[in-house]
């Protein structure tokens, strides 16, 4: 009887629990999820909003012209700095913060200044250079900080304010052969003094018979907005077929096969 009661209590949690990539999207026929490292699982188990609404940073709703199929659910998704590169940074950072891989929590300003979470915990202060085109790590009279969610998010907002597509492309990532794609990789096109774009690879499935891959993408965009899982305009689903020759065409941007990157750490 006790086991039955516990089961009955558990059933509503299963039925009404928040969806994620793993529970919402089955792999296409013949494909399976083979990437089971910590970051791959983190991405496909990240919660999805119950409504399918993307909010801009000012609270307004983004119109959905067959752009997305689902929206990641996290409070910082509507922060005023949360644009494309910031969404890529967020998912990677949140995973590594939860996993306590603090050595991986390092990003750069577009001019190359290092912004490390460990330094932030150890009390570094950031100040602008003479014309506020870059940050300086100020170690005068350091005041150590506690490692908690509030301080992690405070550091992350500083990173968002100074990192961008150029910095993650130039300083924090390595080029990846398109055939070696795995969850957590990202496509990025960047310019030092112009607007680029970056999107995350959030799931990859493999056909073990022929080694073909399909994958799923997410993005934030401009103006700052919540991260959403993209629809493939060529087939109307969330799955893209890995093709080593043709451009990756998404609803609001296109990338070449040579623009796939992976964080160094």
């Amino acid at each position: 009887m006790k086991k039955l009661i516990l089961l009955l209590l558990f059933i509503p949690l299963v039925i009404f629990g928040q969806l994620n990539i793993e529970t919402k999207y089955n792999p296409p026929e013949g494909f399976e999820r083979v990437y089971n490292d910590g970051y791959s699982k983190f991405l496909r188990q990240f919660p999805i909003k119950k409504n399918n609404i993307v909010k801009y940073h000012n609270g307004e709703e983004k119109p959905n012209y067959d752009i997305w199929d689902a929206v990641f659910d996290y409070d910082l998704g509507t922060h005023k700095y949360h644009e494309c590169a910031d969404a890529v940074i967020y998912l990677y950072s949140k995973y590594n913060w939860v996993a306590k891989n603090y050595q991986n929590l390092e990003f750069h300003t577009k001019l190359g200044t290092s912004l490390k979470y460990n330094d932030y915990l150890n009390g570094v202060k950031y100040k602008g250079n003479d014309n506020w085109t870059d940050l300086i790590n100020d170690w005068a009279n350091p005041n150590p900080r506690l490692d908690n969610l509030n301080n992690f998010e405070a550091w992350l907002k500083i990173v968002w304010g100074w990192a961008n597509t150029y910095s993650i492309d130039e300083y924090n990532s390595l080029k990846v052969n398109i055939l070696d794609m795995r969850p957590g990789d990202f496509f990025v096109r960047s310019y030092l003094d112009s607007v680029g774009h970056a999107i995350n690879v959030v799931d990859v499935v493999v056909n073990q018979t022929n080694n073909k891959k399909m994958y799923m993408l997410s993005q934030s965009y401009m103006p700052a907005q919540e991260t959403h899982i993209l629809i493939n305009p060529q087939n109307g689903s969330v799955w893209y077929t890995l093709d080593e020759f043709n451009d990756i065409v998404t609803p609001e941007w296109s990338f070449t096969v040579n623009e796939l990157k992976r964080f160094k750490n």
Side-chain angles (χ1 to χ4, degrees):
M1 178 62 71
K2 185 180 290 185
K3 290 183 178 179
L4 178 60
I5 293 172
L6 289 174
L7 179 61
L8 291 174
L9 289 173
F10 178 71
I11 288 174
L13 296 177
V14 175
I15 295 174
F16 300 110
Q18 195 163 7
L19 290 174
N20 54 45
I21 288 173
E22 195 169 77
T23 57
K24 183 176 175 66
Y25 302 107
N26 291 323
E29 184 175 356
F31 289 79
E32 58 185 296
R33 293 183 168 106
V34 301
Y35 295 101
N36 292 302
D37 59 283
Y39 193 30
S40 296
K41 289 182 178 179
F42 174 84
L43 290 171
R44 67 177 186 251
Q45 293 172 0
F46 200 94
I48 290 171
K49 290 175 63 174
K50 291 183 179 179
N51 64 46
N52 193 28
I53 295 172
V54 170
K55 291 287 188 71
Y56 290 121
H57 66 94
N58 61 4
E60 294 181 3
E61 295 182 8
K62 178 176 181 174
N64 190 2
Y65 301 116
D66 294 324
I67 299 170
W68 71 85
D69 193 70
V71 185
F72 281 141
D73 189 4
Y74 56 96
D75 291 343
L76 290 183
T78 54
H79 190 273
K80 63 181 179 180
Y81 293 152
H82 185 264
E83 297 177 350
C84 60
D86 311 296
V88 174
I89 289 170
Y90 174 83
L91 290 171
Y92 182 73
S93 297
K94 187 61 181 287
Y95 165 70
N96 280 291
W97 182 76
V98 171
K100 299 190 181 300
N101 298 326
Y102 298 159
Q103 72 280 1
N104 293 344
L105 296 177
E106 177 184 10
F107 298 95
H108 294 78
T109 68
K110 74 174 184 177
L111 296 183
T113 296
S114 174
L115 306 174
K116 297 180 181 179
Y117 183 61
N118 273 329
D119 287 349
Y120 189 73
L121 292 181
N122 289 327
V124 72
K125 296 184 288 292
Y126 301 117
K127 64 180 184 180
N129 62 4
D130 289 341
N131 55 4
W132 277 95
T133 57
D134 199 9
L135 288 183
I136 297 171
N137 284 281
D138 182 4
W139 284 102
N141 303 312
N143 185 18
R145 302 173 176 90
L146 294 175
D147 174 32
N148 56 41
L149 181 61
N150 286 339
N151 281 330
F152 165 70
E153 292 185 347
W155 170 79
L156 193 60
K157 291 171 187 176
I158 295 169
V159 170
W160 285 354
W162 291 88
N164 59 10
T165 52
Y166 180 82
S167 67
I168 63 172
D169 190 11
E170 180 71 14
Y171 307 115
N172 300 121
S173 59
L174 301 170
K175 188 177 290 290
V176 177
N177 186 301
I178 190 75
L179 296 176
D180 295 329
M181 177 193 288
R182 61 182 302 130
D185 293 343
F186 56 94
F187 290 97
V188 60
R189 182 175 303 161
S190 70
Y191 310 94
L192 180 59
D193 294 312
S194 185
V195 176
H197 192 40
I199 58 175
N200 253 121
V201 178
V202 290
D203 198 11
V204 178
V205 293
V206 180
N207 186 314
Q208 302 261 43
T209 302
N210 56 24
N211 291 321
K212 298 292 187 182
K213 292 181 177 180
M214 300 185 78
Y215 58 96
M216 191 183 299
L217 300 171
S218 73
Q219 71 167 16
S220 179
Y221 205 59
M222 296 177 63
Q225 58 194 254
E226 292 179 293
T227 302
H228 40 285
I229 295 172
L230 294 171
I231 293 172
N232 182 346
Q234 296 182 333
N235 61 25
S237 81
V238 296
W239 294 106
Y240 289 72
T241 300
L242 193 149
D243 184 334
E244 61 181 308
F245 302 110
N246 294 317
D247 289 353
I248 297 85
V249 179
T250 76
E252 296 180 298
W253 199 276
S254 295
F255 295 89
T256 71
V257 296
N258 297 317
E259 292 176 313
L260 185 67
K261 303 295 289 288
R262 181 176 299 159
F263 282 115
K264 292 179 180 179
N265 298 323

